[in-house]
Amino acid sequence: MKNIVIIPTYNEKENISAIIDAVLSLPSGFEVLIIDDASPDGTADIVKSKMEGRDDLHIIERKGKLGLGTAYLTGFDWALSHGYDYIFEMDADFSHNPADLERMLAKALEGFDMVIGSRYKSGVNVVNWPMGRVIMSYYASRYVRFVTGMPINDATAGFVCYSRGLLSAMELDKIEMKGYGFQIEMKYTAWKLGFRIEELPIIFTDRTKGTSKMNSGIFGEAFRGVLKLPFKKIKRKSE
C-alpha cells in the first residue's frame, strides 16, 4: 500500500523542513509531495536539499502562484499516475497535526473513500484563531450545508484523505473553484457520486510561523460557487 501526503506551499520556509520530517517519521510510511508555487523565500530549495538520498520526498515546482485548488489537482494527477492508494491533503503550517494522518488512514482502511479531518464534528475544535475567523469558518460550513443539503459539518476542511478509487472516478478537470471553495466542491462531488465519507474529529491549531494565505477574494469565490453547486451535473468519469 502506497500513501502520499500532498502539501501545497507558498513562502513556507519557516515550516517546511519540520513538517516534512514529522510526516516522514510516521510509522505507516507516508510519502510527501510538495507543490510549490515559485515561493520567493526559497521553500523549494529547502525541499530539494532534503530530497538528496531518499525516494519518499517529491516536489513539483510551478511557475507562479496558481491557487490552492490547481495545486491539489496537479498533485492528484501525479499521485494517480504513480500508483498511490491513499492520497492526503494537508497544510504546511502545522495547523493540521501530522499524527492525525495515522488516524485518518486507519479510518480509510475501514472502507471509507473520503476521510475529513473535521474541526466541527464534535463542537468547535479550533485553537488560537481570532473569534471572527472562527465564526466565519463555522458558519461557512453551515451555509454550505443549508444550500447543498450535504451532511458534512466541516465542508471547508483542508485536511482530507482520498482513496484512489474516489479520485479515479471523479472528473477532476470539471472542478471549477480554485481557492478554498475547491475543498467544498471536492466534498460535494464525492457525496453526489455516492462514495462513503467519514468525518474524524481533530483539533485545528492556527499557525505560529509564516503568514496565512486567506483573503476576501478566496472567501467570495467560495460563497458564490456554492450557490451553483446544486445545479452542477456530476457523473462518474467512466460514464
Side-chain angles (χ1 to χ4, degrees):
M1 186 175 64
K2 296 175 64 177
N3 312 308
I4 194 157
V5 181
I6 302 172
I7 304 178
T9 55
Y10 183 78
N11 286 350
E12 290 289 356
K13 69 177 182 179
E14 296 96 337
N15 296 301
I16 194 61
S17 182
I19 196 71
I20 289 171
D21 290 344
V23 174
L24 295 183
S25 67
L26 293 170
S28 291
F30 296 91
E31 297 185 30
V32 172
L33 171 62
I34 303 297
I35 312 290
D36 187 71
D37 275 6
S39 298
D41 71 345
T43 297
D45 292 333
I46 296 171
V47 176
K48 288 185 284 188
S49 71
K50 296 179 73 67
M51 290 172 64
E52 296 179 9
R54 63 188 315 155
D55 58 6
D56 54 2
L57 176 59
H58 318 274
I59 188 170
I60 295 174
E61 295 181 80
R62 305 201 298 173
K63 295 183 179 181
K65 196 174 181 183
L66 303 176
L68 181 74
T70 62
Y72 277 127
L73 292 172
T74 297
F76 294 158
D77 285 342
W78 188 94
L80 291 173
S81 68
H82 286 78
Y84 290 90
D85 300 291
Y86 291 98
I87 298 102
F88 294 75
E89 300 177 351
M90 183 180 184
D91 291 347
D93 60 8
F94 283 94
S95 55
H96 303 140
N97 183 349
D100 286 331
L101 290 166
E102 294 282 357
R103 297 173 57 227
M104 294 170 74
L105 178 60
K107 187 60 68 174
L109 291 174
E110 293 178 14
F112 291 99
D113 294 287
M114 172 181 279
V115 180
I116 302 165
S118 178
R119 298 162 292 183
Y120 308 128
K121 174 68 180 292
S122 57
V124 178
N125 296 313
V126 177
V127 178
N128 293 337
W129 259 7
M131 184 54 65
R133 188 168 179 187
V134 173
I135 292 170
M136 181 179 73
S137 174
Y138 177 78
Y139 281 101
S141 285
R142 293 288 296 273
Y143 163 74
V144 172
R145 189 164 181 161
F146 174 76
V147 172
T148 66
M150 179 170 60
I152 291 176
N153 296 288
D154 194 355
T156 62
F159 196 17
V160 184
C161 169
Y162 299 89
S163 71
R164 178 181 184 84
L166 170 54
L167 290 180
S168 297
M170 295 174 72
E171 294 185 310
L172 294 174
D173 58 339
K174 300 292 179 63
I175 300 296
E176 298 177 357
M177 288 189 267
K178 307 304 182 195
Y180 284 82
F182 165 84
Q183 304 291 3
I184 301 168
E185 191 171 358
M186 289 293 292
K187 295 175 184 66
Y188 182 78
T189 302
W191 175 61
K192 292 296 286 185
L193 291 177
F195 282 89
R196 295 188 69 196
I197 301 172
E198 174 74 351
E199 285 188 89
L200 187 68
I202 63 162
I203 296 175
F204 179 98
T205 304
D206 194 22
R207 67 163 66 232
T208 59
K209 298 178 181 178
T211 305
S212 172
K213 312 307 185 293
M214 175 63 79
N215 59 56
S216 59
I218 289 173
F219 182 79
E221 181 214 37
F223 182 87
R224 294 186 299 271
V226 167
L227 294 173
K228 299 177 183 178
L229 286 180
F231 305 98
K232 182 178 180 181
K233 183 176 181 181
I234 295 174
K235 60 185 179 67
R236 291 181 180 246
K237 189 174 183 179
S238 59
E239 294 178 358

